[in-house]
Amino acid sequence: MPPLTVVAVHHAGSGGGWTHRACARCLARERLIPLAFHPLRHDGARLTYPEIVPGELVATLAPLGESPVLAAPIGRLLAAVARTKDRTLDADQRHAAHDEARATVAQLRKAARRASHAVREAR
């Protein structure tokens, strides 16, 4: 059985609840972000990569699962994308937020290459 990555947690009022896991293929197909990278205030539900992240990059990230190299870039990506949706920003600020989101995708791509290289060397 391939390794599974935790993608969500469903809390139950009277018990432990359920932990949802996904294989690398499912992570890629459904664009799922591993739970380890969800924002702290997130409720534990499934979280998908934003549309700004190309499908080929999601496919590259999926086999890396919860690689610690990806934590910071994914955190920056989610924060940048959240700023693009902030309606209190003026047009220039929103444009800068979109530029930042695109730049974080490039950083995520570099981190994915480093993590992929580390995984290959470990084998």
Side-chain angles (χ1 to χ4, degrees), residues 52 76-77 79-80 83 95-105 107:
I52 194 168
R76 286 192 299 272
L77 172 71
R83 281 191 294 283
H95 181 72
H98 282 279
D99 288 345
E100 182 181 353
R102 283 188 290 277
T104 59
V105 169
Q107 293 168 0

Side-chain angles (χ1 to χ4, degrees), residues 37-112:
F37 305 139
H38 289 200
L40 291 177
R41 289 176 282 175
H42 194 262
D43 64 359
R46 295 163 54 131
L47 184 63
T48 59
Y49 283 101
E51 289 301 314
I52 194 168
V53 181
E56 52 85 15
L57 179 54
V58 173
T60 302
L61 295 169
L64 302 174
E66 298 172 337
S67 174
V69 174
L70 303 176
I74 290 174
R76 286 192 299 272
L77 172 71
L78 294 175
V81 169
R83 281 191 294 283
T84 67
K85 298 175 183 177
D86 184 349
R87 296 294 172 208
T88 63
L89 300 179
D90 63 32
D92 289 336
Q93 292 170 321
R94 203 167 17 262
H95 181 72
H98 282 279
D99 288 345
E100 182 181 353
R102 283 188 290 277
T104 59
V105 169
Q107 293 168 0
L108 183 58
R109 190 178 304 279
K110 288 179 187 174

Side-chain angles (χ1 to χ4, degrees), residues 3-5 9 12 21 25-26 32 43 56 67 102 115 117:
L4 300 177
T5 302
V9 175
R21 293 177 170 82
R25 273 179 52 197
C26 293
L32 296 171
D43 64 359
E56 52 85 15
S67 174
R102 283 188 290 277
H117 183 66

